[in-house]
Amino acid sequence: MPLETRPTIADVARAAGVSKGLVSFALNGRPGVAAETRQRIMDTAAELGWTPSLSARSLSVGRAFACGLVIGRSPDVIAADPFFPSFIAGLEDEFSVTGQALVLAVANPGRQEEATYRALASDRRVDGVILTDIRVADARIALLDEVGIPAVTLGVPDVASPFASVSTDDGAGIRLAVEHLAGLGHRRVGHVAGPSGMLHAQRRRDAFLDAADAAGLDVVVVETDFSAADGARATASLLDEGTPPTAIIYANDSMAVAGMGIAHQRGLSVPDDLSITGFDDTEIGRWVHPALTSVATDARGWGVAAARTLLAAIAGDAPTHLDLPDPTLAVRGSTAPPRARDARPTTAREHE
């Protein structure tokens, strides 16, 4: 059985009784077509189910009508991190109504990642890209500038950048979590942090240490790769301390839920023996028991904002910086006052 073919401009012209040139003028909104004729052509196109050919449109204007998202993380980490599905949903919220396709690639940081960006540029597969997980002295900034791809960064890089950016205060939510736990009476608090090479993880860690210093807390920090498995490992390490913390602040919800599991395996009660907070306020955290106290961010909103900012950059607008609202803290059942206060605390900086 032959495949169904899509209607063409010739089909619309034949059905409307006009020339192909007149159909092209009408469908592209160009002048020179009588209002009555234009309406007849538009009605005929709708009846036939005509839609513009993306390939033809791309050739006519020299654009791919696609945007790239290259995620430089392990596939296992991506699969376990609910931020990316929500973020991608936000991108699609915008791209789906503007006729853009999303080209998604996962590449190991380094040569493979560089080769991926160069291929996207040389093959003209995308008109622009979104940079996530901005790194310390991120080499991708210069690379994309070199190959001439418009970009938007999630977060403000720590190097000169010619690109637009969309960001929120990475440390605001962590400060709220520290203040919340200190207000409950916790004196020794752990932080399960993300990779120090990622700017947002570094900024959250620094905010944790500064807020803990201000509150006079005794702290310990364990670095991870953001995965649930590494969050479980870090939790076990903290609980094996001579004086384990009575509360732990995690850099994402996946690690917090894993940490909750480790605590339960050891016979600890959450929150009576150990208070736990997450980051990103994902749906799963609201359904575990006890429900997870978490820093609430809007990953889907980030996606929408990033898509709009990138499309503006592709259109030639000057680079801009967009500040999104600060995160808030959603307080739920995983945090409570500790059973007993620790001994006199030392300062946070003594435990870096």
Side-chain angles (χ1 to χ4, degrees):
M1 181 177 178
L3 293 175
E4 184 178 345
T5 58
R6 59 188 293 166
T8 66
I9 284 181
D11 295 326
V12 176
R14 186 164 45 253
V18 297
S19 69
K20 290 196 298 183
L22 200 60
V23 171
S24 179
F25 271 54
L27 294 176
N28 286 287
R30 296 173 64 180
V33 184
E36 181 181 343
T37 303
R38 184 187 303 275
Q39 188 60 54
R40 185 169 82 253
I41 291 171
M42 299 300 289
D43 291 343
T44 302
E47 289 171 7
L48 293 177
W50 179 89
T51 56
S53 165
L54 182 58
S55 59
R57 186 182 175 204
S58 298
L59 287 172
S60 67
V61 299
R63 279 187 49 188
F65 291 97
C67 297
L69 174 63
V70 181
I71 303 177
R73 291 201 202 182
S74 159
D76 291 339
V77 174
I78 296 170
D81 189 342
F83 172 84
F84 284 104
S86 295
F87 177 72
I88 290 170
L91 295 178
E92 286 296 330
D93 284 342
E94 187 67 18
F95 289 156
S96 64
V97 298
T98 56
Q100 305 293 313
L102 176 63
V103 176
L104 176 64
V106 176
N108 294 326
R111 290 185 179 179
Q112 183 187 21
E113 191 176 36
E114 179 181 347
T116 300
Y117 282 115
R118 290 191 181 280
L120 290 175
S122 63
D123 297 341
R124 297 184 179 180
R125 292 176 58 194
V126 298
D127 300 313
V129 297
I130 297 164
L131 281 185
T132 64
D133 292 333
I134 300 302
R135 301 162 194 157
V136 175
D138 202 319
R140 295 174 298 173
I141 303 293
L143 170 64
L144 292 175
D145 192 25
E146 174 195 339
V147 298
I149 299 182
V152 58
T153 64
L154 290 195
V156 179
D158 61 352
V159 294
S161 171
F163 302 123
S165 60
V166 176
S167 71
T168 187
D169 184 347
D170 288 304
I174 294 292
R175 289 191 290 271
L176 290 174
V178 171
E179 292 165 4
H180 169 64
L181 293 171
L184 290 173
H186 292 276
R187 310 311 300 161
R188 181 164 172 79
V189 179
H191 178 43
V192 175
S196 59
M198 292 185 183
L199 276 182
H200 65 289
Q202 182 188 88
R203 288 166 176 163
R204 291 174 192 178
R205 176 181 179 274
D206 290 345
F208 170 78
L209 292 170
D210 288 340
D213 263 339
L217 304 183
D218 181 16
V219 304
V220 59
V221 176
V222 181
E223 183 174 329
T224 70
D225 63 5
F226 272 136
S227 70
D230 220 18
R233 174 198 61 79
T235 304
S237 172
L238 289 172
L239 296 179
D240 287 338
E241 293 258 324
T243 305
T246 60
I248 303 175
I249 294 173
Y250 292 81
N252 67 25
D253 278 7
S254 296
M255 295 195 296
V257 171
M260 193 179 293
I262 294 296
H264 290 156
Q265 288 175 20
R266 295 192 174 205
L268 299 177
S269 170
V270 177
D272 295 330
D273 297 315
L274 180 68
S275 283
I276 286 178
T277 73
F279 201 105
D280 283 331
D281 192 26
T282 55
E283 185 176 8
I284 189 64
R286 303 168 201 171
W287 294 101
V288 296
H289 181 73
L292 183 64
T293 293
S294 184
V295 175
T297 60
D298 182 6
R300 191 162 185 163
W302 269 60
V304 171
R308 289 177 179 169
T309 304
L310 180 59
L311 292 176
I314 292 169
D317 290 3
T320 58
H321 173 71
L322 176 62
D323 278 316
L324 299 177
D326 285 349
T328 57
L329 186 68
V331 177
R332 300 192 182 93
S334 67
T335 51
R339 289 190 188 275
R341 291 180 181 270
D342 291 332
R344 181 186 63 84
T346 54
T347 63
R349 296 291 177 185
E350 291 178 72
H351 290 269
E352 285 191 63

